[in-house]
Amino acid sequence: MPLLEVKELSVTFTQYDRGLRRKKATAIQDLSLSVERGEIVAVVGASGSGKSLLAHAILGILPRNASVGGQMAFDGQPLTASRIRQLRGKRIAFVPQSVQSLDPLMRVGRQVRQAVRAGDPAEEQRMAFARYGLAPLTERRYPFQLSGGMARRVLVSIATVSGAELIVADEPTPGMDPAVVQETLRAFKTFAENGTAIVFITHDLEAALAIADKVAVFHAGTSLEVARAADFEGAGDRLRHPYSRALWRALPQNGFAVPDLGANEPLSRSAVGCSHARGCALATIECAKTAPKPRELRDGMVRCYHAT
Amino acid sequence: MAAGRQSGIGKFALRQAGKLALLLASACAVTFALISQSPIDPTQAYIGADLLRVGAEQREAIAAYWGLDDPPLQRFWAWMASLLQGDFGTSMIHRAPVSEVIVERFLSSFALMIAAWLLSGILGFAAGVAAAMRRETWLDRAIKWYCYALSSTPTFWAGLLLLIVFTVWLPIFPVGLGTPAGVPAGDVTWLDRARHMILPALTLSITGISNIALHTRAKLVDVLASDYVLFARAKGEEGFLLFRRHGLRNILLPAVTLQFASFSELFGGAVLVEQIFSYPGLGKATVEASTRGDVPLLLGIVLFSALFVFAGNLLAELIYRWVDPRIREGQSE
């Protein structure tokens, strides 16, 4: 049984257009994802594809004008709004994307200690800082005295000291130097080996492949494919979706092929058809008419008529 | 680094001292210029009711004794010279040295102003916090409505209203004065003074409340929409814990600063309120000095109030410098 199961999730925003006319904008549609204990699932996609909103939906911190559809379950029980409130900070931890997420007027050591749920807070905090290469003096610093990379390591510390069973990490690595990125990724891997489930949201496919077991390729508010990390190899022939293949081939070591990846805009404006239809070599009239439903394929998921 | 910080403090003190000197000098010059152009005849004001018993010759003698016939600039320098020696002159109404009158009146005003200042600070801050934490609810709407209504209410009108309600309809509080009438000064108790102070202090705090409440509300609404509060929610913090950890410290500093910077409104308000309640403080002395032409007292009060407001602003700035780590530790980097 997966620890976290997301089924047909949708996130819709109600906005006021000119005057008092209400407008609905769909940011995530028909998204399914599951994470087992001890598993790292990477969610990879360009910025604006709705990755962060997925994280915010799991943590129940979407803005007030957002409405959530579909089902989520944690450890076999439905993840309702009130259940999320009980779980977050205890069994579900979050690594936010913004470095502004640290309280500007509180020493960072204290912010880490407040997240500790079991054991000696000071001890746990020092161990976490040592693990991510933060000098002991850092605990006396205020956020404005830290570099972006240091602030991210503090955020990762906060998530990991909580002892949560599920960590949702939203772009935890930008601004860190490569050695620290490796260290952080290794730490995630260690946590996973000890049974923690990790949702690793990133736009960095390489970083994702370094640690992930499964990769969900995100585009325009939904996942086009869920592949095993091992499927990303060679020319990408084992990948199911043309978009994932294009993403893989765009990496420097795979030839830097820059394809037209299609518009990555909110679904409401390109509601009909496959979001990748424009710019896809395999696209047919069918693709432009109705969006393909997700289907199982070779121990993964794909949302494409032409995938084999 | 420590030396750099020392010189930073020295520079700051020097700059503030310079500012203060400039402020007081220009306050002196402007007030003196205004008073010398005013229709008040100091001789007339001095003689007052003894008009009939003082002849024209005597009046000229008084004017000559005071140097009223000298050119304004010369009078200004003479006044400045004695001022620099600590001599503020003699109040004509009170027949006592100006500095003595100011100190005595200020002490009774000070109690009133501090009470109003604390009241408006605490009530305003609490109301602002409550409104922001319960945003878009009836509580928020009620507090906002109250604040807008009060900030568009003239102080004197609010004072009169309180007088009608609490001394005429419900005779709980005394109508005016700082102590009970007809009781020897030695027999006046601490409780008497407090009872006489409640209504004036309440009136004086009314406008301050809405100022600080609306400011605190807006600031806390911003803080609650920040990334760090969003993250705190994701960590399972909510309600009072969330406010205590991340809300309070982030809004307290601006609120305290604002409150110290409001000394000028406090002093201005005291002038009106003390007049309404016949409260024997510095505000009332100001009105008397100007309507009865007590030039030395008026000049003294102007200088004193400038100093008072300056002190408030200076305290606000010092608190910001010493409490906000972004400024405090940013300098030592």
Side-chain angles (χ1 to χ4, degrees), chain B residues 21 24 28 42 67 86 158 230 249 302 316 330:
Chain B
L24 290 181
C28 287
L230 191 73
R249 62 177 72 218
V302 166

Side-chain angles (χ1 to χ4, degrees), chain A residues 121-143:
Chain A
E123 188 60 31
E124 293 287 325
Q125 174 254 310
R126 291 199 180 115
M127 270 162 55
F129 275 17
R131 196 180 312 129
Y132 304 115
L134 291 169
L137 225 85
T138 312
E139 66 183 55
R140 303 280 305 155
R141 297 266 178 228
Y142 287 94

Side-chain angles (χ1 to χ4, degrees), chain B residues 253-273:
Chain B
L253 208 52
V256 167
T257 314
L258 182 76
Q259 193 65 353
F260 273 103
S262 73
F263 272 23
S264 61
E265 282 131 70
L266 198 63
F267 195 87
V271 171
L272 283 172
V273 168

Side-chain angles (χ1 to χ4, degrees), chain B residues 105-125:
Chain B
R105 291 306 190 96
F106 178 68
L107 285 180
S108 75
S109 269
F110 189 68
L112 175 67
M113 287 195 277
I114 280 290
W117 187 76
L118 287 176
L119 203 64
S120 67
I122 293 168
L123 285 184
F125 187 73

Side-chain angles (χ1 to χ4, degrees), chain A residues 56 61 85 88-89 94 96 98 100-101 103-107 110 114 117 142 144-145 155 158, chain B residues 135-136 227-228 230-231 233-238 245-246 249-250 324-330 333:
Chain A
H56 287 208
I61 51 170
R85 283 223 295 276
R88 59 190 181 193
F94 180 44
S98 163
Q100 309 291 324
S101 298
D103 188 328
L105 294 186
M106 200 190 286
R107 295 184 197 277
R110 202 162 152 223
Q114 285 178 346
R117 290 289 174 272
Y142 287 94
F144 79 96
Q145 295 166 313
L155 291 172
I158 290 177
Chain B
R135 198 171 158 217
E136 308 293 328
D227 283 339
Y228 56 89
L230 191 73
F231 184 43
R233 285 194 214 280
K235 286 186 288 181
E237 294 173 20
E238 49 190 283
R245 279 190 181 168
H246 305 291
R249 62 177 72 218
N250 280 290
D324 192 328
R326 284 165 294 194
I327 299 177
R328 185 187 61 212
E329 301 199 5
E333 281 294 288

Side-chain angles (χ1 to χ4, degrees), chain B residues 193-235:
Chain B
R193 288 182 195 279
R195 276 191 61 219
H196 280 79
M197 214 176 65
I198 289 176
L199 276 190
L202 209 60
T203 312
L204 189 52
S205 67
I206 277 177
T207 35
I209 288 181
S210 24
N211 197 8
I212 194 97
L214 289 175
H215 191 87
T216 300
R217 179 187 177 276
K219 182 73 193 164
L220 187 53
V221 165
D222 282 352
V223 166
L224 290 178
S226 69
D227 283 339
Y228 56 89
V229 167
L230 191 73
F231 184 43
R233 285 194 214 280
K235 286 186 288 181

